[in-house]
């Protein structure tokens, strides 16, 4: 029995395909589908490209004008669609490309030989001499000492170990600054760029390799491209297509790179078994949610069943809807999608408690009448205001599951500022006790108390839930009781819990919860994503500056920083406009949007304006409509599936999970966000939704 040929698509092929005119696109898709069905069909003629330096490259006729470039190695029944273009351009592309296997990592790497030669040319590194008629210097200048090579302490073998193609070693050797590294970014495979960046920032080669779980002690066959295609590094650039349905879905769907290609670090975290809970940290735009979704797909296909599903949960309903919508495009019709359940945790708890005949409804936030009644018991002699009691309730009492005076006397209040002696705690405890009684009389329970009750029910009934694995997105927004409940929902063992999050983006949880104190042991299973794929470096730095002076936690009792975070793209510096009133701020924001949309080539759907409140969001939408611009208001009750011809308008809270080319963040002084959220963290989240341009209006 013969084995069917293996067919793969390169990232470059799909990028080129997405830019073709509609008629040409249709012809290429039709041809590619036939090619996938049988790349050895008699009608397919593989033409040798005589000037190509890679003997494995072939040209295939698509029609009279267009050609496909295919990689067909001598060893293994493998065919990779690399590129598509007009006849002359396709041949020119192939003549300057080489696809090889890294001799240490075993990954397939495409090298642009023309760019390498241009980058390595002596004239590329020579300073331009002053003109003959230039004025002489006023005094003799001393030549600056030559800069030290950036990677002088690394051997050639180490450079290859972190992913550098051997052909690019001379270029890496010539680098003397971070700017040189950034200039060569497009030439380097992403794993090589990341490794070099981390080493330049102070990491060792060993730290880089351990972080990737990369082995460098195996023997690599440089001619075995079939095996090379299975590496995580190769799969960040090539996708194997196994069916007509999969090929059609990839070629015809809007090009979303995250659906098909993952960074090698993400791929290694998404695939394979884990011995226990895993935590992945990463700044905005580093692909945490994408990683979590791919992890769900792998588990659904390899470890889950209808009896033991994968539960994918996040903090808000709208984020769960976004994830559910995007997961459909990842499964590509695979029936394993039935093995994944997506819901926000509040909704799951509500359904679970109802099935258990729980007598209370869940109360989100402080309830006005019960709270006013409770505050009547506040001792005036202590001089504590209403805000103190509200924060004590949310950050200490419910966060830690305290339900008795004895527990409150022993409770940790680190970070609360006001020192409370045992006597003072005894005096103020009746406020919280009364509030619970007032809620109970109305058949209400605070959300954190409801989470605690759900966990207690699970423990007392020893109930086995239909989940083999639980994946948690936006972990930083979950409090202590939520994490305790999640631990109770999944039986301890292989692949049980997988968390992704970023303390910089905490906009809901007001109390920092440590996983270790919630029974979640992540020791040895904690990883970090460093590269930002969405936001330019200029926007990223501007957004991070909004958080200056704030300590960011790592969700397990430690601290996190953004020292090693870096964006892969560059662009114009963000703009900040200071205004004197909310009305003036609104005028400026509307002017920026209308100015952008005066460009007929800019789709309205690539622009979003974010505001701190629903009221201001409504005012923005009304003004844009009055200007005859198409508007789509993104609410918390639905996924963002609007067409690309409408400007999006959203609250800053709703910004989570979204991305746009251009963003205006409207944050006028005097307008406070709902829920007492830190406005700086909301601004950070909102700015980092932008890919290329951002404006902050204060």
């Amino acid at each position: 029995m013969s084995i069917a040929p293996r067919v793969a698509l390169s990232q470059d092929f799909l990028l080129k395909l997405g830019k073709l005119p509609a008629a040409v696109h249709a012809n290429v898709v039709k041809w590619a589908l036939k090619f996938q069905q049988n790349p050895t069909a008699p009608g397919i003629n593989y033409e040798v490209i005589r000037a190509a330096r890679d003997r494995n490259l072939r040209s295939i006729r698509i029609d009279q004008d267009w050609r496909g470039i295919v990689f067909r190695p001598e060893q293994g029944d493998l065919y990779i669609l690399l590129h598509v273009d007009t006849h002359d351009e396709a041949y020119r592309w192939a003549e300057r490309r080489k696809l090889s296997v890294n001799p240490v990592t075993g990954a397939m790497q495409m090298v642009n030989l023309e760019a390498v030669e241009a980058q390595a040319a002596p004239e590329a590194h020579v300073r331009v001499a002053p003109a003959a008629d230039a004025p002489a210097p006023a005094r003799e200048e001393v030549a600056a000492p030559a800069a030290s090579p950036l990677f002088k302490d690394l051997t050639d073998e180490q450079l290859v170990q972190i992913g550098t193609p051997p052909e690019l070693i001379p270029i890496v050797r010539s680098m003397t600054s971070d700017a040189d590294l950034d200039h060569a970014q497009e030439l380097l495979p992403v794993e090589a760029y990341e490794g070099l960046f981390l080493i330049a920032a102070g990491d060792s080669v060993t730290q880089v390799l351990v972080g990737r779980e990369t082995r460098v002690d195996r023997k690599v066959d440089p001619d075995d491209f079939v095996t090379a295609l299975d590496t995580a590094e190769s799969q960040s650039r090539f996708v194997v297509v196994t069916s007509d349905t999969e090929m059609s879905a990839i070629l015809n769907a809007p090009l979303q790179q995250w659906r098909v290609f993952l960074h090698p670090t993400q791929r290694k975290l998404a695939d394979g078994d884990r011995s226990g809970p895993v935590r992945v940290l990463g700044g905005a735009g580093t692909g945490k949610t994408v990683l979590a979704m791919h992890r769900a797909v792998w588990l659904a296909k390899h470890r889950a069943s209808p009896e033991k599903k994968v539960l994918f949960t996040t903090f808000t309903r709208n984020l769960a809807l976004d994830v559910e919508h995007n997961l459909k495009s990842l499964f590509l019709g695979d029936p394993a999608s039935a093995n994944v359940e997506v819901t926000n945790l509040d909704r799951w708890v509500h359904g679970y408690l109802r099935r258990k005949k729980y007598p209370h409804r869940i109360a989100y936030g402080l309830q006005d009448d019960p709270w006013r009644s409770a505050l009547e018991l506040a001792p005036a002699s202590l001089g504590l205001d209403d805000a103190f009691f509200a924060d004590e309730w949310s950050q200490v009492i419910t966060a830690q599951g305290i339900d008795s005076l004895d527990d409150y006397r022993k409770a940790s209040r680190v970070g609360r500022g006001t020192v409370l002696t045992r006597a003072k705690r005894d005096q103020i405890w009746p406020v919280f006790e009364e509030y619970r009684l007032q809620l109970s009389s109305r058949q209400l329970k605070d959300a954190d108390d409801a989470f605690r009750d759900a966990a207690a029910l699970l423990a007392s009934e020893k109930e086995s839930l239909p989940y083999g694995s639980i994946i948690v997105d936006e972990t930083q927004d979950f409090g202590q009781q939520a994490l305790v409940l999640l631990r109770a929902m999944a039986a301890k063992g292989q692949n049980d819990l997988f968390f992704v999050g970023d303390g910089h983006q905490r906009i809901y949880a007001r109390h920092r919860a440590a996983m270790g104190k919630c029974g979640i042991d992540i020791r040895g299973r904690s990883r970090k994503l460093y590269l930002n794929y969405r936001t330019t470096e200029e926007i990223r730095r501007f957004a991070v500056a909004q958080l200056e002076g704030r300590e960011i936690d790592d969700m397990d009792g430690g601290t996190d920083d953004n020292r090693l975070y870096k964006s892969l793209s560059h662009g114009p510096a963000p703009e900040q406009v200071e205004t004197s009133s909310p009305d003036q701020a609104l005028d400026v924001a509307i002017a920026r949007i209308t100015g952008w949309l005066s460009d007929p080539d800019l789709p309205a759907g690539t622009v979003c304006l974010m505001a701190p409140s629903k009221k201001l969001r409504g005012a923005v939408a009304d003004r844009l409509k009055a200007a005859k611009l198409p508007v789509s208001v993104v609410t918390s009750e639905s996924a963002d599936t609007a067409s690309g011809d409408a400007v999006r308008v959203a609250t800053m809270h709703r910004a989570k999970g979204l991305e746009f080319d251009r963003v205006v963040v409207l944050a006028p002084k005097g307008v406070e966000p709902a829920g007492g959220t830190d406005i700086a963290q909301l601004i950070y989240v909102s700015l980092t939704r932008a890919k290329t341009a951002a404006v902050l209006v204060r």
Side-chain angles (χ1 to χ4, degrees), residues 156-395:
D156 286 357
E157 182 182 6
Q158 287 175 318
L159 289 175
V160 177
Q161 285 177 352
I162 62 174
T164 308
E167 296 87 349
L168 298 186
I169 287 178
I171 291 178
V172 174
R173 289 284 179 218
S174 71
M175 295 176 181
T176 59
S177 67
D178 291 342
D180 289 342
L181 177 58
D182 284 346
H183 185 65
Q185 177 192 325
E186 291 187 0
L187 296 178
L188 293 163
V190 67
E191 67 269 21
Y193 176 82
E194 179 189 48
L196 292 169
F197 158 67
L198 291 174
I199 288 169
D203 278 6
S204 66
V205 172
T206 300
Q207 287 173 309
V208 171
L209 297 179
V210 169
R212 295 178 181 174
E213 302 175 3
T214 298
R215 288 183 55 191
V216 297
D217 58 347
R218 58 184 176 179
K219 184 176 181 180
V220 173
D221 181 352
D223 295 320
D224 187 357
F225 290 91
V226 174
T227 298
L229 190 57
D230 291 329
T231 66
E233 290 81 3
S234 296
Q235 290 172 12
S236 70
R237 297 178 279 274
F238 305 94
V239 57
V240 177
V241 184
T242 59
S243 68
D244 296 352
T245 301
E246 188 176 4
M247 173 69 92
S248 181
I250 292 173
L251 296 181
N252 288 299
L255 183 59
Q256 295 169 301
Q257 291 294 302
W258 60 264
R259 291 191 308 111
V260 180
F261 304 104
L262 279 183
H263 181 280
T265 300
Q266 295 172 332
R267 175 67 65 187
K268 288 176 179 177
L269 288 169
D271 296 354
D273 293 314
R274 299 292 180 268
S275 59
V278 174
R279 181 204 61 188
V280 180
L281 296 176
T286 55
K288 299 180 299 299
T289 299
V290 168
L291 163 62
M293 289 192 293
H294 279 270
R295 179 64 178 163
V297 171
W298 189 89
L299 288 169
K301 291 181 177 181
H302 297 89
R303 296 292 179 267
S305 67
E307 293 74 32
K308 284 295 179 182
K309 293 184 176 183
V310 177
L311 175 66
F312 192 116
T313 191
T314 187
F315 189 77
T316 62
R317 182 170 181 264
N318 61 268
L319 279 173
L321 290 170
D322 290 339
V323 167
E324 188 172 28
H325 173 75
N326 288 325
L327 272 174
K328 292 177 181 177
S329 65
L330 283 180
F331 276 107
L332 299 173
D334 193 309
S337 62
N339 294 335
V340 179
E341 177 184 334
V342 182
T343 188
N344 62 301
L345 190 60
D346 284 351
R347 187 175 184 182
W348 186 92
V349 170
H350 175 75
Y352 175 76
L353 292 178
R354 286 193 65 180
R355 290 193 301 274
K356 297 298 178 181
K357 309 299 181 184
Y358 192 66
H360 302 93
R361 290 176 290 113
I362 300 177
Y364 297 99
L366 290 172
Q367 306 299 296
D368 290 340
D369 289 342
W371 186 243
R372 279 196 297 268
S373 296
L375 287 177
E376 291 178 1
L377 300 180
S381 61
L382 295 182
L384 301 172
D385 59 18
D386 292 355
F388 167 84
F389 285 97
D391 289 343
E392 191 77 358
W393 170 259
S394 64
Q395 298 180 32

Side-chain angles (χ1 to χ4, degrees), residues 465-526:
L465 297 176
Y467 308 123
S469 304
I470 297 179
I471 295 174
V472 185
D473 191 18
E474 304 291 356
T475 305
Q476 74 280 350
D477 284 328
F478 288 90
Q480 180 172 320
Q481 297 308 311
L483 292 179
V484 169
L485 172 60
L486 287 163
R487 175 65 283 176
M489 290 168 62
K492 291 184 179 180
Q494 193 176 63
N495 304 322
D496 53 355
L497 293 166
F498 191 92
F499 298 90
V500 298
D502 174 23
H504 300 80
Q505 299 186 66
R506 177 178 285 107
I507 63 174
Y508 290 107
R510 301 179 67 183
H511 176 75
R512 298 178 179 183
M515 289 185 171
K517 293 182 179 180
C518 300
I520 301 168
D521 183 3
I522 58 169
R523 288 175 297 179
R525 293 181 299 275
S526 179

Side-chain angles (χ1 to χ4, degrees), residues 60 114 130 228 251 267 294 410 412 441 446 536 612 615 670 698:
I60 294 181
E114 182 179 37
L251 296 181
R267 175 67 65 187
H294 279 270
K410 297 179 288 187
S412 170
S441 69
D446 182 88
T536 65
K615 181 179 179 180
R698 302 300 307 265

Side-chain angles (χ1 to χ4, degrees), residues 51 66 70 94 164 373 383 405 429 542 553:
W66 291 81
V70 177
T164 308
S373 296
L405 176 57
W429 172 251
F542 181 68
D553 71 294

Side-chain angles (χ1 to χ4, degrees), residues 532-540 542 567-575 596 599 602-603 606-608 659-664 686-695:
N532 184 319
Y533 304 96
R534 178 199 305 137
T535 305
T536 65
E537 179 67 3
E538 290 74 15
I539 294 174
R540 188 196 67 79
F542 181 68
S567 294
L568 291 178
S569 61
H570 289 273
E575 179 185 6
W596 283 342
D599 180 355
L602 179 68
T606 63
V607 174
C608 182
E659 60 180 40
F660 302 91
D661 284 344
R662 304 185 186 199
V663 162
V664 173
S686 300
L687 288 170
T688 53
R689 304 305 99 192
K691 296 179 182 178
T692 59
V695 178

Side-chain angles (χ1 to χ4, degrees), residues 655-693:
K656 285 282 191 74
L658 304 179
E659 60 180 40
F660 302 91
D661 284 344
R662 304 185 186 199
V663 162
V664 173
V665 179
L666 182 57
K669 297 176 179 64
V671 178
E672 296 298 324
T677 309
D678 184 344
I679 186 64
Q681 288 186 288
L682 278 173
I683 291 173
Y684 170 84
V685 170
S686 300
L687 288 170
T688 53
R689 304 305 99 192
K691 296 179 182 178
T692 59

